[in-house]
Amino acid sequence: MSGFVHGLSYGAVIVTVLMTVTAFSLWFERKLAARMQSRLGPTLVGPAGILQPIADVLKLLQKEDIVPLKADAVLFNLAPPVAVVCAIGVAAAVPFSPTVVAADLDVGVLYVLAIGAVTVLPVFTAGWASNNKLALLGGMRAVAQSVSYEVPLVLAALVPVILAGSMRIGAIVQFQSDHHWFVAWPFFLGIPAFVIFVLAMLAEANRIPFDIPEAESELVAGVTTEYTGMKFALFYMAEYVHTLVASAVASALFLGGWDGGPFRPGLHWMVLKTLFLFAGLYWIRWTLLRFRSDQLMRLCWRYLVPSSIALVATAGVWVVFVG
Amino acid sequence: MTSSPAASYLPIAVVLLLAVAMGAIVSSLSSLFGPKNPNPVKSTIFEAGSEPAPGTARQRFAVKFYVVALLFIVFDVETVFLYPWAVNFRALGWFGYAEMFVFAATLVVGLVYVWKKGALSWET
């Protein structure tokens, strides 16, 4: 019974916090992008345009809900909520501090990767159900890309598991706070694994430079082309929540989670690291260009997969010799 | 907090239920508050904004996507097998490492094979 109450209260908090952070990260992203391009960005709604996301939601609320006649209506309507459920489902197992967590599972890393991988299904469902050639192509690309980058993602996440000897995310963070953050020591394992993890997670979330499934210059809006109003907003929300939660996972696995180095550990460190990483991803997004499909696949299968296998093998040798 | 393994999933199930409720409510908001003026042209697919290209979207698709799916199944199943090994790695020591090395080596041989076969070249 206590688990039910705990889940309910934590779930309410997590949904509220994720919504708020996502909304204001939209404002932050637009401001950042504008500054990087010598523009001002949103300025009209509220001070410095900070209420812009709320105005956006109000506008989307007033849009007509259109389901194309030729579309598969059931799947078409099912895809957006499922996308959000997957993104929030990952967040449920990520510990933000020893106490702030819905459930720190024994197989936390595996759960996070598994639910994270499911996010590709609603994207493909949307592409197929739209009955639109461009959306279908976007969905196909999304599946090909996500399942390809799943392999280096899983292998990179294996490195902290080997080093810490546990799949429980809380135990991995504890190990790092007892020893060193994995990006600090052994840095020759931690840093490459962290970089591969971040790259693969960007690809999984279909973010620039890996946003070939959306590629607005060739596919209109990819899988979201036929969606209007709040359903369209749900896809956007799912993408942002997915990226945010993946940043939290990366912070916990590689950056020491709630450990503050020489300072007192606490929730604020985890939040700070997550937001910092999240902002870094925006920086990447507004700096780099989009890869071509073939470049994307080559990067994954010819470089990331072999190097992540080598990393796992090296991590094994390291643990047997030193750890 | 909770002792049995299954009970530790209860909060997660509750969070998921909450997420389902939120997703269902939010996705129905547009049809509640939005205008409803359907017409035949609006109900066609948007596609690229002009007249949709002839033919249906339910058609055969480039086989390279399916090759990627096959590769994924092979490699992902193998990598997931590495997880239980990684947790018990310290206890297993060199013996466990050697055994897993053989397993990973077959993985690499498979990768080299598909690479040489040209399954990894997206261009063709």
Side-chain angles (χ1 to χ4, degrees), chain A residues 251-277:
Chain A
S251 313
L253 292 186
F254 297 99
L255 304 180
W258 55 81
D259 179 50
F263 304 104
R264 216 160 53 83
L267 174 68
H268 52 288
W269 286 110
M270 181 69 176
V271 172
L272 214 63
K273 285 170 190 171
T274 303
L275 291 181
F276 211 67
L277 194 56

Side-chain angles (χ1 to χ4, degrees), chain A residues 11-12 62 64 68-69 103 107 111 113 128 131-133 136 147-148 154 163 226 230 293 298 313 316-317 320 323, chain B residues 8-9 11-12 18 26 30 35 37 42-43 45-47 53 55 57-58 61 68 72 83 89-90 94 97 122-123:
Chain A
Q62 297 167 34
E64 184 170 349
L69 276 180
V107 290
Y111 171 87
L113 292 172
W128 190 84
N131 204 353
N132 164 339
K133 293 152 209 96
L136 179 65
V147 301
S148 296
V154 171
L163 291 175
E226 303 292 340
M230 290 314 283
S293 264
R298 196 182 319 140
V317 175
V320 171
Chain B
S8 65
Y9 286 87
I12 295 216
L18 216 62
V26 171
S30 274
N37 310 309
K42 204 188 275 176
S43 303
I45 50 171
F46 177 80
E47 210 165 87
R58 308 267 184 270
F61 220 81
V68 169
F72 164 72
Y83 270 83
F89 185 56
R90 271 162 221 274
W94 273 117
Y97 186 79
W122 195 252
E123 297 86 354

